[in-house]
Amino acid sequence: MKKVQRILAILGILFLLGLYLATFIFALLGKDFFPMFVASLFSSFALPVLIWIYGFIYKLLRKKDS
């Protein structure tokens, strides 16, 4: 289980770094890419929050079962 968690954590980090890089690139490209910049910016904030919520709910449900 620990190995799977470690792999998922590394994939999550790589995905977030990709989002941050995309946000930076869209910011540099100018007005034509503003909708993609906003979508990337929103995703870079929403994704970690959703991951935290899923983990929190998982821990609550797991405690209830045992």
Side-chain angles (χ1 to χ4, degrees):
M1 186 68 174
K2 292 283 184 183
K3 192 173 188 178
V4 173
Q5 285 178 338
R6 187 171 292 157
I7 291 170
L8 289 174
I10 291 171
L11 288 174
I13 290 169
L14 291 175
F15 189 71
L16 283 173
L17 286 174
L19 274 174
Y20 296 149
L21 181 65
T23 304
F24 180 70
I25 290 171
F26 291 142
L28 293 177
L29 289 176
K31 291 181 183 179
D32 296 336
F33 293 92
F34 183 72
M36 292 193 312
F37 167 73
V38 172
S40 179
L41 189 64
F42 174 77
S43 297
S44 65
F45 285 112
L47 186 68
V49 171
L50 287 175
I51 291 172
W52 181 84
I53 289 171
Y54 292 149
F56 182 73
I57 291 173
Y58 176 75
K59 286 180 187 177
L60 285 178
L61 293 176
R62 191 169 170 198
K63 281 185 182 179
K64 236 182 214 183
D65 291 340
S66 46

